[in-house]
Amino acid sequence: MVEGPGATLYGRKLQTAVGETVTVSYFGTTNEASMPVPLDVAQTLAGLLLDSAFTVGKELFLIFKGPNEGKESEFAMRLHFGMNGSLHVRSADNKAFGVPAWKQKQTPSLRLFFVGLLSRSTILEAWDTTVTFPVSADTARKKLLNLSSKDACSKLFNAQEVFASLRQDGENLTISDALLHQEIFPGVGNIIKIESLHRAQIDPRRKVSSLSDIELRRIVRHVRKFSMDWLNNGRAGVKMVYNQTVCGTCRGMSVKMQKIGGHRGGSSSFKVNGLISRVTFWCTTCQPITIEGDVLNGSISNSMTNTANKEETSIFSSTQGISSSNSMSALGQMAQTCVARCPQHGQKSVKLFRARNSTKQNSLRIFFTCKYKDCKYFDWADAHFPSCKCGLKTVLRVSKTERSGGHWFLSCPQGDKKSGNRHGCGHFEWAKAEHLTPLGSLLSPLI
């Protein structure tokens, strides 16, 4: 998942090509062997000079200039990396430097060849990336000018401007939606949102209007710190709740998982921006729905708060088969009782995966394998799961609903008639400790 820090790092890599001239350009998709850019686009790009490259939030802009002076000779290209996008910039002399082997077998979304001084050649390659060309160079620069002070990874970051924008434009949004809004807080992605709210001890379901100034400023501070630590270290920091079942702060089995967001509120200038529901993790202990026992702005009643807390606790106890008071011993038990062990590299090398591109019989099943690429260890991890009426192994899934989000269940791999699959038997049962314990601590919600 490419968030602000990743896009900013890609922008820095691209600086080596600034001042060089495009000679050849190609783009395609991972489903096609190779496709040159349309003739008119190729003719436009050929001979253009890369004048500048900059990042705004999770977007990367390339500004090209033609041989003629004036704005009419300027062209801009926008790159958006989405969930799995990536960018590599390398010297043409080194054909595979920095490019993973599996990517070398795929066609990139974009490939640009540049030539610079002393005939030095640079190659830019982007995979799984949305490429938009041409876009207005003026619009791109205005975006940089208007949003740099709110960009989580910008050197011009101004916390007060972000605070004011959250208050004014995100007042009617949940804090989850407001943080992901790229015109309110550019560069913030789902991981940054989740971990920053955890560190700020704020429940992600709360509305911005229910947050005190102190709480809102604390959120802004933690978003900035988590983003800059990610940028400076080249990787995301320790994930306390994201994709976890046990909270990394309190060590309790109190992490809830649910799809949150998609509200289209806010001021009129922001209503055109559709917001989508995103899987969100938070600790119900560390991130209570009220702060210091107070109900803020009358947004949440005491009865609602008590009901929610009791409901979440009871659901975790019944569906997981493990009580919250026993969470520490349960965690230790799960870590110690993982049945998988690589014959060559031992238990610590074992990883848990899900079969995504497999036969219908094995689709969505989980399996153990070794983290070392040359090791051939493989073992199905669901041997102890029951079979459904179709005669297939049930698959382990996790709920993302409001009531039972984060709780595991076993179901028919072919679904049921309600889901539009006439062949599924509709088998469903909540997973018990006997199903989960053999998987140990390898089990994570986003497997």
Side-chain angles (χ1 to χ4, degrees):
M1 182 182 297
V2 180
E3 303 192 11
T8 302
L9 288 172
Y10 291 152
R12 290 180 178 179
K13 288 182 180 180
L14 195 51
Q15 298 306 311
T16 59
V18 172
E20 298 184 350
T21 303
V22 179
T23 56
V24 185
S25 55
Y26 293 93
F27 82 79
T29 68
T30 55
N31 298 321
E32 299 173 88
S34 181
M35 180 193 296
V37 298
L39 181 60
D40 58 335
V41 177
Q43 291 174 339
T44 302
L45 286 171
L48 294 182
L49 178 78
L50 181 61
D51 182 65
S52 61
F54 53 83
T55 306
V56 181
K58 296 188 283 186
E59 301 173 290
L60 176 60
F61 291 96
L62 285 66
I63 308 296
F64 299 94
K65 280 191 174 182
N68 301 320
E69 295 294 331
K71 290 186 177 181
E72 63 276 2
S73 66
E74 283 190 331
F75 302 90
M77 177 180 288
R78 173 186 177 271
L79 304 184
H80 190 273
F81 300 99
M83 292 289 291
N84 302 308
S86 63
L87 181 140
H88 294 274
V89 180
R90 57 188 173 87
S91 169
D93 298 331
N94 195 331
K95 296 183 178 179
F97 177 74
V99 181
W102 66 271
K103 284 189 177 180
Q104 295 177 35
K105 300 177 182 179
Q106 296 183 356
T107 301
S109 307
L110 173 72
R111 179 181 285 133
L112 296 178
F113 293 81
F114 297 90
V115 62
L117 297 175
L118 303 177
S119 298
R120 186 189 71 171
S121 297
T122 303
I123 299 177
L124 175 154
E125 294 168 310
W127 280 266
D128 298 321
T129 300
T130 300
V131 182
T132 307
F133 179 86
V135 297
S136 168
D138 282 344
T139 300
R141 290 196 181 98
K142 286 179 181 177
K143 199 165 192 176
L144 176 67
L145 179 65
N146 295 333
L147 297 180
S148 286
S149 59
K150 296 190 287 186
D151 192 325
C153 295
S154 173
K155 294 180 180 179
L156 303 176
F157 179 78
N158 186 316
Q160 180 57 34
E161 286 195 30
V162 176
F163 171 82
S165 185
L166 284 167
R167 271 285 179 244
Q168 179 178 346
D169 301 309
E171 189 74 357
N172 296 322
L173 301 173
T174 63
I175 187 60
S176 292
D177 276 343
L179 290 181
L180 290 178
H181 204 302
Q182 295 304 295
E183 292 186 39
I184 295 178
F185 214 152
V188 178
N190 207 35
I191 294 176
I192 295 175
K193 176 202 77 176
I194 290 169
E195 291 299 324
S196 299
L197 287 176
H198 177 73
R199 286 157 172 78
Q201 299 180 325
I202 301 297
D203 188 297
R205 298 168 294 180
R206 290 178 62 185
K207 278 195 171 185
V208 174
S209 58
S210 78
L211 297 167
S212 66
D213 286 354
I214 292 176
E215 290 174 321
L216 200 56
R217 292 184 191 279
R218 187 163 73 234
I219 293 171
V220 173
R221 184 171 68 251
H222 280 291
V223 169
R224 171 66 170 176
K225 185 179 187 308
F226 192 88
S227 300
M228 290 305 296
D229 287 346
W230 187 342
L231 178 64
N232 294 330
N233 296 329
R235 61 179 63 186
V238 176
K239 299 179 182 66
M240 295 296 185
V241 288
Y242 179 81
N243 199 23
Q244 305 295 322
T245 54
V246 176
C247 174
T249 300
C250 69
R251 304 306 296 168
M253 294 190 72
S254 50
V255 177
K256 187 171 175 63
M257 171 188 179
Q258 179 187 327
K259 278 193 172 184
I260 292 178
H263 181 65
R264 294 176 64 88
S267 67
S268 58
S269 61
F270 289 93
K271 288 182 180 178
V272 295
N273 295 286
L275 297 166
I276 62 173
S277 181
R278 299 295 300 273
V279 174
T280 302
F281 299 84
W282 74 97
C283 174
T284 56
T285 300
C286 298
Q287 298 164 258
I289 207 163
T290 56
I291 301 300
E292 298 177 356
D294 295 330
V295 181
L296 300 176
N297 296 346
S299 300
I300 304 167
S301 67
N302 282 316
S303 60
M304 286 175 63
T305 302
N306 293 334
T307 301
N309 290 337
K310 289 179 181 178
E311 184 180 84
E312 287 165 2
T313 301
S314 63
I315 288 174
F316 271 89
S317 301
S318 60
T319 60
Q320 299 280 5
I322 301 170
S323 66
S324 57
S325 61
N326 225 7
S327 60
M328 283 299 292
S329 60
L331 175 63
Q333 182 185 13
M334 288 183 70
Q336 294 172 7
T337 55
C338 177
V339 297
R341 182 181 183 85
C342 174
Q344 184 176 353
H345 300 104
Q347 190 175 35
K348 291 184 178 181
S349 68
V350 175
K351 301 184 75 173
L352 187 65
F353 287 99
R354 187 182 296 278
R356 299 289 182 183
N357 300 310
S358 187
T359 61
K360 183 176 75 171
Q361 184 177 3
N362 295 324
S363 178
L364 300 179
R365 293 181 65 184
I366 54 176
F367 61 91
F368 296 116
T369 188
C370 183
K371 68 179 182 181
Y372 295 102
K373 295 181 180 179
D374 296 333
C375 183
K376 297 182 179 179
Y377 168 70
F378 174 92
D379 192 15
W380 288 113
D382 58 3
H384 58 294
F385 289 0
S387 297
C388 67
K389 293 179 181 179
C390 302
L392 302 174
K393 277 289 182 183
T394 53
V395 295
L396 184 65
R397 292 186 170 102
V398 64
S399 172
K400 302 180 182 70
T401 65
E402 181 177 356
R403 179 174 175 79
S404 59
H407 307 128
W408 296 95
F409 63 90
L410 297 168
S411 64
C412 172
Q414 299 186 103
D416 53 29
K417 293 181 180 179
K418 292 182 180 179
S419 63
N421 193 326
R422 294 179 298 172
H423 303 291
C425 66
H427 178 96
F428 175 91
E429 64 177 293
W430 289 113
K432 302 179 178 64
E434 62 195 63
H435 301 129
L436 303 179
T437 300
L439 305 176
S441 57
L442 297 178
L443 184 62
S444 61
L446 296 181
I447 182 174

